[in-house]
Amino acid sequence: MPGGQEKQVDDSEFMDVANDPAEARALRKALQQIAGGGAGDTLKEMAQDILSGRVGLRQAAQTSGYTDALMDKAQPFREQWDAMSETERQAQAAEGERILDDYRREIEEERRVAEEQKSKPGGSHSGKNWSLY
């Protein structure tokens, strides 16, 4: 691709596993963080493959090397969760909902701006001033 940039999938790529666009965005953003390398080389490769569209999320989830690496990284989080009180778990869940609500507002604003751009008179897609000659 030009400038060495690789194609990146958008949020819609994850709608088959997400419950709504905000969850799809959260998943894409999490994969972008993993692609940065902080979770190890195997998961970095997995995230980069998914984000570039070379591998689908479901296909990656069925690849033993990736699932093994995911399980290894998830174990400490599972242990932390198990050690939390119910109040702490509820606080974590509320924080997750707050983040999803932020994404929902962000997505709605993006849609609103896109609709405004489409409805502007004389916009680049208005069809006016076109000529074949």
Side-chain angles (χ1 to χ4, degrees):
M1 307 227 32
Q5 294 256 334
E6 201 168 326
K7 172 192 146 204
Q8 289 285 303
V9 298
D10 62 16
D11 298 347
S12 66
E13 183 71 22
F14 306 109
M15 284 304 297
D16 64 331
V17 295
N19 291 322
D20 68 25
E23 287 183 14
R25 179 158 297 186
L27 181 54
R28 181 183 51 79
K29 288 182 176 261
L31 285 166
Q32 288 173 325
Q33 288 181 331
I34 293 168
D41 291 340
T42 301
L43 294 180
K44 176 181 178 178
E45 175 188 303
M46 177 200 70
Q48 289 173 340
D49 283 350
I50 293 169
L51 290 169
S52 70
R54 288 189 300 268
V55 174
L57 183 60
R58 290 184 190 274
Q59 182 183 1
Q62 295 172 351
T63 303
S64 65
Y66 292 158
T67 55
D68 292 346
L70 279 169
M71 296 306 276
D72 287 347
K73 287 293 180 186
Q75 186 59 34
F77 293 107
R78 178 64 188 188
E79 291 169 3
Q80 284 179 327
W81 182 261
D82 289 343
M84 285 182 186
S85 70
E86 187 59 31
T87 302
E88 291 170 319
R89 289 180 188 167
Q90 289 174 356
Q92 288 294 313
E95 177 62 13
E97 281 301 319
R98 186 196 61 73
I99 291 168
L100 289 175
D101 285 342
D102 287 348
Y103 289 153
R104 287 180 187 107
R105 282 189 289 279
E106 186 179 278
I107 291 165
E108 187 56 39
E109 177 65 12
E110 290 167 3
R111 287 180 181 156
R112 187 189 61 73
V113 168
E115 285 300 316
E116 284 179 5
Q117 293 297 320
K118 284 184 195 176
S119 65
K120 281 187 179 176
S124 61
H125 299 291
S126 68
K128 293 181 181 178
N129 301 322
W130 281 81
S131 173
L132 296 175
Y133 305 100

